[in-house]
Amino acid sequence: MARYIPPKQSKIGQMIDVIVLLILAIGALYIPLWMGLAGSSKTPVPQTAPTWESLGQNPTMVEKWNQLGFTDPAAASDIITARFDYSFSTGSLILMVVVIVGYFVMMVRLSDKEYREVISEKFGDR
Amino acid sequence: MANTTAEAPEKLGLLRVLGPAHVWALGVGIVLVGEYMGWNFAVGKGGAYAALIACWFAGLLYSCVAMIDSEVTSTVAAAGGQYTQAKHIIGPLMAFNVGLYLVFAYTMLEAANAITVGFLMDEVAKLTGHEGINQDPFIILSVMFLAWLNYRGVLATLTFSLVITAFAFTAVILLFLFSVILTGDSPMRHAELMTDLPYGWLGVLASMHFGLWYYLGIEGTTQAAEEVRSPARSLPFGTLAGIMTLLIAATLTWYVCVGLMPWEYLGQAGVPLFDAARLSGSTWLMVLLGIGTLFATLASANGCINDASRAWFAMGRDHYLPAWFGAVHPKYRTPYRSIIFLVPIALIFALGAPLDQVITFSILSGLLGYTFMPINVILFRKKWPLDTIKRGYEHPFHPLPAITLITLCSVTYFAVFLGYGTQLIAMISFYIVVSLWFHFWRYRFVKRADQFTMPWPRPRGY
């Protein structure tokens, strides 16, 4: 196999590549936060005039809350009642499996195509 | 300009001076912060018992990681760790992805550490009667200081890390001894504070998400492969000893924390070990764990800057990224452009995103890396069976560890999906888009044969 000579990239081309990567990385990680879609599944259950008893706390727990600076049960109410919502649809679970498996299958296949070029140039054609 | 760039000849080898103890210290140094913050979100996702079960299953996952990684690393004994392994065993695109996993796992961990520094300063200010301080200057200062330290040279950086890691580890042990064993009237109240599983067994699965945080980063020991005197002995020994150390430290941390505070508080606490020391009733323990938290976060962030910048630098040197990043500082011999470039990225997340989200981004990148490992070792054994090249270490029971690892990774994806599914899809989408960008655009700048540098025979099937 003839040795592949890569083109030389200009300074501007290098800068554009870095900017593209930055936008993709920050965008992918920040878009869920900006759209309010991230970590929103843990929500408190508000109580009117909560007491330690209504919040299900025994005397030892109350003592610990007090030591942690929560002397008023209303201040600790949101922390105590907040729960994750683990309900999910089969469709979203299937979507997750397809995305993850699809990603790895695509990557291994495309990598293999590139790898064959590397091996062919390194060891010569068979 | 006297920079040494990627084009310059560089045949100088790294010095082989490290032993198993150094490998142990390198791994534990980055990871120990996981006992000081972050692990407790596993309590929030499934309750106290769920976090303990997650801790042990995550320990099993990392034992598989260490066994598999040690075999491949003892053979691919070159700097770059999993990135270099992927280049030789699977191909350039996989290597590009693995490089990004390393950079994002470590940069997000660095951001999480900086957030914790700010949070700790806020807590200390409150305890001394100063409410509502601005945390941002502490976050910025810690990242900038550590980046400067890394810019100036690796020896000072590693020495700094070793000293503060030893202090932070000792603080965890002392907290356990003085609040559980060496005290007449123990403040522990396990019987009154422990509850049933609040989400049932589904919560146990969900808590595997943050269970990884107990150990995340231990695989960074392979980055030192080129500097270890006897990789075949030191890498498996040092890494497995590190995991055992962390397993013990994690169990002690869990035991102390769940015996001192209600699980609902613990599940969302920013600095749980510091809170545990406050509740122990001892002022000196509180001061010790406050300093321990600060040191653990700084040591971890320091190691993260070191590892992330080297992965970014390696990709620049191989032209997977613009070659401009492949420059070495003419005086300090550090990858200074990569170090500086990653500083604002860490700060953007440290200043703008909640701690649990930043930790999730780090865990997801780590998890993708662990999913790569079983694929990697199966292809490694297929392309170069045991009789074709000599391994420094052969991991036993192949392919059982690989199957166990991929099963536990699948469970952890499901755990992240429960509560953080949007981030999971967003992050995988990012890796799909950048993979296409690399394959159809960036790969044209990569020299093909230069990607294979090991003195191995031609792989079978190629």
Side-chain angles (χ1 to χ4, degrees), chain B residues 261-283:
Chain B
M261 59 192 102
W263 75 270
E264 297 96 332
Y265 179 85
L266 179 59
Q268 53 81 59
V271 280
L273 268 179
F274 179 64
D275 286 332
R278 278 168 59 199
L279 294 173
S280 73
S282 163
T283 306

Side-chain angles (χ1 to χ4, degrees), chain A residues 5-68:
Chain A
I5 310 289
K8 194 158 176 68
Q9 196 179 22
S10 66
K11 293 268 186 230
I12 293 175
Q14 293 191 36
M15 276 181 66
I16 291 172
D17 274 5
V18 172
I19 291 167
V20 167
L21 259 186
L22 269 180
I23 291 172
L24 286 174
I26 294 171
L29 302 181
Y30 252 102
I31 284 171
L33 293 174
W34 284 329
M35 294 174 70
L37 295 170
S40 57
S41 52
K42 191 178 186 185
T43 46
V45 182
Q47 290 188 9
T48 49
T51 62
W52 291 119
E53 290 75 24
S54 72
L55 293 170
Q57 302 298 295
N58 63 34
T60 305
M61 293 170 180
V62 175
E63 181 195 338
K64 297 295 180 187
W65 282 109
N66 289 336
Q67 287 176 350
L68 287 163

Side-chain angles (χ1 to χ4, degrees), chain A residues 3-4 6-9 11 14 17-18 20-22 24-26 28-30 32-33 37-39 41-42 57-58 60-61 64-65 67-70 79-80 82-86 88-89 92-93 95-96 99-100 103-104 106-108 110-126, chain B residues 44-45 88 90-94 97 101 104 187 189 192-193 199 202 206 260 262-265 278-279 321-325 341 345 348-349 352-353 357 361 371 383-384 413-414 417-419 422-424 426 428 430-432 434-435 437 439 441-450 452 456 458 461-462:
Chain A
R3 194 173 178 83
Y4 173 75
K8 194 158 176 68
Q9 196 179 22
K11 293 268 186 230
Q14 293 191 36
D17 274 5
V18 172
V20 167
L21 259 186
L22 269 180
L24 286 174
I26 294 171
L29 302 181
Y30 252 102
L33 293 174
L37 295 170
S41 52
K42 191 178 186 185
Q57 302 298 295
N58 63 34
T60 305
M61 293 170 180
K64 297 295 180 187
W65 282 109
Q67 287 176 350
L68 287 163
F70 294 88
I79 297 175
I80 294 171
R83 292 288 185 276
F84 281 99
D85 177 9
Y86 289 152
F88 60 89
S89 67
S92 60
L93 182 63
L95 175 70
M96 179 197 74
V99 168
I100 295 172
Y103 163 64
F104 276 102
M106 178 201 78
M107 191 166 47
V108 170
L110 294 180
S111 285
D112 191 64
K113 200 176 160 194
E114 296 168 355
Y115 189 69
R116 285 182 186 281
E117 291 176 6
V118 170
I119 297 302
S120 179
E121 193 173 305
K122 174 81 182 176
F123 295 95
D125 291 324
R126 278 190 183 277
Chain B
K45 281 197 89 173
H88 286 85
I90 303 184
L93 177 62
M94 185 79 237
N97 276 267
Y101 301 157
F104 282 112
R189 296 290 181 272
E192 295 86 354
L193 292 174
Y199 299 98
L202 191 62
L260 282 171
W263 75 270
E264 297 96 332
Y265 179 85
R278 278 168 59 199
L279 294 173
L321 292 173
W324 187 78
F325 290 112
F341 178 77
I345 297 179
I348 285 171
F349 287 94
Q357 308 291 334
F361 292 145
T371 313
K383 291 178 182 179
W384 293 279
Y413 282 115
F414 182 64
F417 171 73
L418 294 173
T422 314
Q423 290 93 320
L424 175 62
I428 304 280
F430 162 73
Y431 281 110
I432 290 173
V434 293
S435 294
W437 173 82
H439 183 75
W441 167 251
R442 187 70 222 172
Y443 184 55
R444 75 190 58 192
F445 301 107
V446 175
K447 290 176 184 169
R448 307 307 199 236
D450 289 8
F452 199 104
W456 295 348
R458 189 179 194 118
Y462 289 80

Side-chain angles (χ1 to χ4, degrees), chain B residues 62-208:
Chain B
Y62 279 90
S63 298
C64 294
V65 164
M67 286 166 72
I68 289 171
D69 218 25
S70 294
E71 172 169 330
V72 187
T73 304
S74 69
T75 316
V76 190
Q82 292 85 10
Y83 165 75
T84 309
Q85 296 174 17
K87 267 200 311 184
H88 286 85
I89 298 167
I90 303 184
L93 177 62
M94 185 79 237
F96 174 69
N97 276 267
V98 169
L100 288 184
Y101 301 157
L102 292 170
V103 170
F104 282 112
Y106 287 123
T107 305
M108 292 299 133
L109 175 50
E110 177 196 344
N113 288 322
I115 292 171
T116 306
V117 170
F119 189 82
L120 179 70
M121 291 302 160
D122 190 41
E123 285 289 299
V124 172
K126 277 182 197 162
L127 289 173
T128 51
H130 300 87
E131 285 279 343
I133 64 157
N134 185 358
Q135 299 179 17
D136 292 354
F138 298 103
I139 292 172
I140 295 168
L141 268 176
S142 55
V143 170
M144 298 289 279
F145 167 70
L146 294 174
W148 171 77
L149 206 59
N150 273 275
Y151 183 101
R152 290 293 301 260
V154 70
L155 184 62
T157 304
L158 196 63
T159 308
F160 175 75
S161 274
L162 281 178
V163 172
I164 61 181
T165 299
F167 183 97
F169 186 70
T170 307
V172 176
I173 301 296
L174 288 177
L175 174 68
F176 176 75
L177 290 177
F178 282 93
S179 57
V180 178
I181 296 174
L182 303 175
T183 177
D185 181 23
S186 172
M188 294 289 143
R189 296 290 181 272
H190 288 96
E192 295 86 354
L193 292 174
M194 297 292 282
T195 64
D196 292 336
L197 294 168
Y199 299 98
W201 286 97
L202 191 62
V204 176
L205 274 181
S207 64
M208 264 301 276

